[in-house]
Amino acid sequence: MNVGKVCNQACHHCHVEAGPKRTESMPERVADRVLELLAADGGIATLDVTGGAPELNPSFRRLVVEARRLGRRVIDRCNLTILFEPGQDDLAAFLAEHAVAVTASLPCYTADNVERQRGQGVFDKSIRALQRLNALGYGRPDTALRLDLVYNPVGAFLPPAQAELEARYRRELAGAFGITFDRLLTINNMPIKRFAGMLARDGSAEAYQALLVNHFNPATVDDLMCRSLVSVGWDGRLYDCDFNQMLELPLAAPDAGWPRTIWDVDDLRGLDGSPIATGRHCFGCTAGAGSSCGGALIS
């Protein structure tokens, strides 16, 4: 583990890994503690819930309702097909009722590319889910219901310019399916976990790492998400970002008493000014136009 020299600014964005992305799922006591910390720190403006299919977690709706009651913006990182899972018939209406912002992965506007990456039938379900959200007012200019789409490359290359790709998505999705949305967020592929395995099988791991290093852009550093975000794992452990969480790379610890979990802090402002744990994968967030939970960092 390396410890970066850049320090956290005031935390205003809280990512929560609710799952289930794997066998583990956030227990109720973790959700309780997250809500306690939100209530204690008015500086956290956004609760961002992720984890593959966070909506299936029994505490998901309570997290949404209570966070909104506290006046926080809530983002649901939605895989879209969840809207058609058993027991989720009212999910879209629930999200709209509580003005939850939806950030949805759609790696392409064509069926072939999406299904090559996500599996057969995923594109059709994703399109129908977006149409359902549009019908409720999501992605429409006359409502406050935000719908953002997420693109990440299907291979070992950097995304195209975000604005140009967004214009193409708008044209194709509106023309073929009548779908509208607010923004397209482009995210660099991080050389970790499943994508790292693919690179290793192709023998292109070092070439992709070199691509990221050679495209390092210092202009991205000030807006890196790890500077104003804290990521809470399904078990309550704390991380500087979701990628560090996936690698189980915890907060950099200046001493043995440094907070490691949500039960080690009474106020997340105590993390302000702390060092950031970094590794080779961090070049993924600083390459080209940069990459964050909010898309490209440089227009």
Side-chain angles (χ1 to χ4, degrees):
M1 179 180 73
N2 298 318
V3 178
K5 300 301 183 184
V6 177
C7 290
N8 283 317
Q9 301 162 347
C11 172
H12 61 77
H13 199 113
C14 181
H15 272 213
V16 174
E17 169 86 31
K21 182 190 295 183
R22 41 192 172 182
T23 55
E24 303 93 344
S25 184
M26 174 178 281
E28 188 174 350
R29 68 189 188 96
V30 176
D32 290 342
R33 184 59 176 163
V34 167
L35 291 171
E36 289 174 3
L37 290 173
L38 279 180
D41 186 355
I44 300 175
T46 302
L47 178 68
D48 195 330
V49 192
T50 185
E55 303 89 353
L56 294 180
N57 187 285
S59 296
F60 173 78
R61 299 199 184 201
R62 183 165 61 89
L63 277 171
V64 168
V65 171
E66 292 303 313
R68 292 296 293 147
R69 185 181 62 80
L70 290 169
R72 304 308 198 272
R73 179 175 184 246
V74 176
I75 300 174
D76 176 25
R77 301 272 165 175
C78 181
N79 69 12
L80 293 175
T81 61
I82 190 65
L83 269 62
F84 302 103
E85 288 295 312
Q88 301 298 324
D89 294 345
D90 65 336
L91 175 60
F94 170 81
L95 296 173
E97 177 186 355
H98 296 282
V100 176
V102 173
T103 299
S105 176
L106 189 69
C108 191
Y109 44 76
T110 65
D112 287 348
N113 282 339
V114 171
E115 298 194 350
R116 190 180 307 124
Q117 185 173 355
R118 299 290 169 82
Q120 188 174 3
V122 170
F123 182 76
D124 178 63
K125 282 186 176 180
S126 296
I127 292 299
R128 288 191 289 123
L130 290 172
Q131 290 170 333
R132 179 178 294 185
L133 290 169
N134 274 175
L136 290 167
Y138 273 97
R140 302 296 190 187
D142 56 342
T143 76
L145 296 176
R146 189 168 187 89
L147 174 61
D148 293 335
L149 304 182
V150 178
Y151 164 89
N152 61 285
V154 295
F157 51 88
L158 297 178
Q162 183 167 284
E164 294 176 11
L165 189 59
E166 180 180 290
R168 202 180 314 159
Y169 262 70
R170 287 192 192 283
R171 183 172 62 251
E172 297 292 336
L173 291 177
F177 308 107
I179 290 170
T180 61
F181 61 94
D182 289 293
R183 287 184 61 211
L184 177 72
L185 313 178
T186 58
I187 296 180
N188 296 344
N189 275 332
M190 301 295 289
I192 60 176
K193 295 294 183 176
R194 185 169 58 181
F195 186 63
M198 186 201 81
L199 294 173
R201 288 191 299 273
D202 293 345
S204 55
E206 289 305 314
Y208 185 66
Q209 185 68 41
L211 174 73
L212 298 180
V213 171
N214 291 334
H215 285 81
F216 171 72
N217 185 348
T220 63
V221 172
D222 285 348
D223 294 318
L224 291 174
M225 60 183 174
C226 55
R227 302 193 65 177
S228 58
L229 171 151
V230 63
S231 183
V232 181
W234 66 272
D235 57 357
R237 284 188 287 179
L238 295 169
Y239 303 87
D240 288 307
C241 74
D242 292 355
F243 302 122
N244 283 4
Q245 181 186 144
M246 293 170 69
L247 292 170
E248 298 186 356
L249 183 63
L251 296 179
D255 56 65
W258 191 247
R260 292 293 194 179
T261 76
I262 51 177
W263 293 281
D264 296 328
V265 292
D266 293 322
D267 190 327
L268 290 174
R269 283 173 290 195
L271 301 177
D272 294 353
S274 62
I276 296 170
T278 61
R280 296 179 73 208
H281 63 286
C282 297
F283 282 104
C285 288
T286 58
S291 182
S292 76
C293 55
L297 299 173
I298 306 297
S299 60

